Amino acid sequence: PVDLAIVTGAASGIGRETAWQLGRSGYFVGAVDIDAEGLEEFSRKAHADGLSAGIFLADVSDDTATNRIFSHVATLKKPLAALVNAAAICIFANPEDISLDQWDRVLSVNLRSVWLMSNKARPFMVESGRGSIVNISSVHAWATDHLVSPYTASKGGISALTRALAIAWGKSGVRVNAVLPGPIDTPLMRANLRAVGDEEAEYAKLSASLALGRAGQPVEIANVIDFLCSAK
Ligand code: NAP
């Protein structure tokens, strides 16, 4: 049977491009997101392009919702070869202005989700003796700015959790890696630019500060993730 790859955050940006790329690489893609419209759009385009994909509307920070995802996976009878944890949100405010609810929401969506999804994927991967989990951390795990403190904390947590899971599960054939992108041109990056000023002016400033003179494109990260999923 065709291998299954689950991608969270698959309705937009890096997750959507990754879901697409994995579909082109021959996986059956399970596209998970909280954005129903974006998922439908992904599904229409994937099927028009001859890719095999199913969509799953779920909040990846929710224990019950993630249980439903994996109950469905069990019915598919396809080896779960890859899980890409790409869903994330960001709240732009100074640390002292972040509410408790905002802190909890960002940490839940970005970090608890990785723990929930990875833990629930693990038995399927152990059963087939192989599997690759790719978590999207961020350059913010290392170097950040003043407006994104819960996001930064969540990304530092993802990098650390990735190391812990890689050590815990490696001997059972489950590989766990993280990618740490710099600025990538997606709706999330655009929201970040608008949070600090005029979008186009901020994009010009950002580009000038980057080695390539531009932000990255989602496909450049999707290609790296496809490689990390592919190695046996
Ligand atoms: P994006 O375009 O905003 O895509 C993220 C997707 O995740 C959106 O469709 C979003 O839906 C969805 N999502 C949000 N909360 C969710 C939840 N609770 N359950 C399920 N799905 C949820 O962002 P992106 O830039 O592609 O980011 C993808 C990943 O790359 C994230 O982990 C991000 O932190 C990381 N990253 C991005 C950059 C960058 O510069 N873009 C750099 C480094 C790392 P809604 O739109 O409805 O919220």
Side-chain angles (χ1 to χ4, degrees):
V2 177
D3 282 349
L4 170 65
I6 296 176
V7 181
T8 76
S12 178
I14 297 170
R16 183 171 64 187
E17 195 65 37
T18 299
W20 192 267
Q21 182 59 44
L22 292 177
R24 283 167 46 128
S25 295
Y27 294 87
F28 181 92
V29 178
V32 178
D33 206 286
I34 203 167
D35 170 7
E37 217 173 285
L39 275 183
E40 289 294 345
E41 193 189 320
F42 169 79
S43 174
R44 272 195 302 276
K45 285 171 94 172
H47 288 123
D49 243 39
L51 308 185
S52 304
I55 55 175
F56 207 103
L57 186 64
D59 176 346
V60 290
S61 69
D62 184 288
D63 190 36
T64 310
T66 54
N67 280 340
R68 279 204 301 272
I69 295 172
F70 288 93
S71 301
H72 185 64
V73 165
T75 68
L76 292 176
K77 308 273 180 249
K78 297 179 194 303
L80 178 57
L83 167 66
V84 180
N85 288 306
I89 55 170
C90 188
I91 285 166
F92 303 98
N94 286 309
E96 62 274 24
D97 297 327
I98 300 284
S99 71
L100 183 57
D101 282 350
Q102 288 175 322
W103 173 269
D104 284 346
R105 184 68 189 147
V106 174
L107 269 291
S108 293
V109 172
N110 295 9
L111 180 57
R112 182 168 69 177
S113 66
V114 173
W115 174 69
L116 286 173
M117 290 294 294
S118 301
N119 254 333
K120 292 171 192 187
R122 186 193 66 85
F124 292 92
M125 294 177 167
V126 169
E127 194 185 329
S128 53
R130 71 194 165 95
S132 173
I133 297 174
V134 181
N135 301 323
I136 309 195
S137 178
S138 166
V139 68
H140 283 281
W142 295 110
T144 190
D145 65 47
H146 63 292
L147 285 179
V148 293
S149 54
Y151 180 87
T152 292
S154 74
K155 293 299 174 180
I158 289 174
S159 289
L161 178 63
T162 299
R163 288 189 283 270
L165 299 183
I167 289 166
W169 298 345
K171 290 197 175 61
S172 50
V174 180
R175 293 173 294 112
V176 190
N177 289 285
V179 293
L180 284 72
I184 306 297
D185 200 349
T186 70
L188 185 67
M189 190 201 86
R190 292 283 167 176
N192 198 345
L193 297 177
R194 287 193 297 274
V196 285
D198 172 72
E199 183 175 330
E200 287 316 312
E202 290 302 323
Y203 184 74
K205 250 199 278 176
L206 173 71
S207 299
S209 74
L210 297 171
L212 296 180
R214 62 168 178 84
Q217 290 301 315
V219 66
E220 294 173 280
I221 304 303
N223 286 338
V224 173
I225 296 173
D226 190 21
F227 166 74
L228 289 171
C229 292
S230 72
K232 294 266 189 298

